[in-house]
Amino acid sequence: MFPEKLALDHILSWSDEGDSVLDPMCGSGTTCKMAQSVNRNWIGIDVSSEYINIADARLNQAGLRLSV
């Protein structure tokens, strides 16, 4: 799993509130989770339904939404 702090540091450095963050290999959803937590839109793409399910569970656990 990608460290949340590292993802957050990049998101805050390279985007502004309301921007969209694209993660073309979102895996377990760390970037998506951190982007949403600081008011960024996000697009997460992954070819693995297993990882999409993991990302969905992580986002739901954090009280965030996943749109498929």
Side-chain angles (χ1 to χ4, degrees), residues 10-22 31-32 34-43 65:
H10 282 279
I11 292 164
L12 293 174
S13 294
W14 299 103
S15 67
D16 295 315
E17 227 177 275
D19 284 352
S20 294
V21 174
L22 171 65
T31 301
C32 302
M34 300 316 294
Q36 189 164 339
S37 74
V38 290
N39 300 314
R40 272 58 167 181
N41 299 306
W42 55 267
I43 300 167
R65 71 181 178 353

